[in-house]
Amino acid sequence: MKQTFGKNERLCSPRIIGRLFKKGSSEVHTFYLFPFRVLYMYDQSPISPLPQVLFSVSKRNFKKAVDRNLIRRRCREAYRLNKHSLVTLTTESRPSYIAFLYLAKEIVSYDVIESAMKQSLTKLEKLPASPKSPS
């Protein structure tokens, strides 16, 4: 499998991002794993064969864009190298959209981010398949 992170894997749709961050929505599931809060959602008709992913770093915690970009690059790299566990799942048991929110107040090392990403992906891998409800 190619270890790339192409445009079709990036979550760019404002409509889907709005659904993912909608408060009190029953279709969005979440869990915390330092330094991430992971939001994920199942969809009946996924756009791409791989889950679409979003990485978010708070401007409130990191004022300088250089710091936010550094964290985002580290998160994307950790995901790119470890996403193979999600690819092996069927499309019904795999979330269609995933958002990784970086919650730590300081810049953590790449090793911490990578281990948290591995744990997050294995947790997503072991989740029971969500029943598909019509939207």
Side-chain angles (χ1 to χ4, degrees):
M1 186 191 104
K2 292 173 76 175
Q3 290 184 327
T4 59
F5 186 65
K7 179 71 173 170
N8 61 340
E9 293 180 62
R10 297 173 195 260
L11 181 54
C12 300
S13 168
R15 185 180 59 83
I16 296 172
I17 293 171
R19 280 177 50 200
L20 199 57
F21 286 99
K22 185 177 179 183
K23 295 234 187 265
S25 177
S26 62
E27 66 179 343
V28 178
H29 309 284
T30 184
F31 63 88
Y32 293 92
L33 191 65
F34 181 81
F36 297 116
R37 176 180 180 211
V38 182
L39 303 165
Y40 59 97
M41 186 171 64
Y42 296 93
D43 198 6
Q44 290 175 318
S45 56
I47 297 169
S48 83
L50 293 168
Q52 290 191 332
V53 183
L54 168 81
F55 297 97
S56 176
V57 181
S58 172
K59 191 173 183 178
R60 176 186 284 178
N61 295 337
F62 301 97
K63 304 289 186 210
K64 296 180 181 175
V66 174
D67 295 336
R68 291 192 303 274
N69 292 338
L70 171 72
I71 294 166
R72 220 173 289 130
R73 271 197 312 272
R74 287 179 179 177
C75 294
R76 275 197 308 261
E77 181 69 4
Y79 174 78
R80 183 185 72 82
L81 293 175
N82 297 297
K83 69 178 179 181
H84 55 82
S85 61
L86 287 179
V87 174
T88 58
L89 297 174
T90 63
T91 54
E92 291 82 26
S93 62
R94 177 178 59 225
S96 302
Y97 308 108
I98 307 170
F100 291 96
L101 309 179
Y102 186 84
L103 297 180
K105 302 278 186 199
E106 67 281 336
I107 300 174
V108 297
S109 69
Y110 174 75
D111 297 329
V112 174
I113 290 175
E114 186 178 31
S115 66
M117 185 63 70
K118 284 179 184 176
Q119 291 174 354
S120 299
L121 292 175
T122 54
K123 188 167 184 170
L124 285 170
E125 185 181 335
K126 292 177 182 176
L127 290 171
S130 176
K132 308 290 183 187
S133 61
S135 296

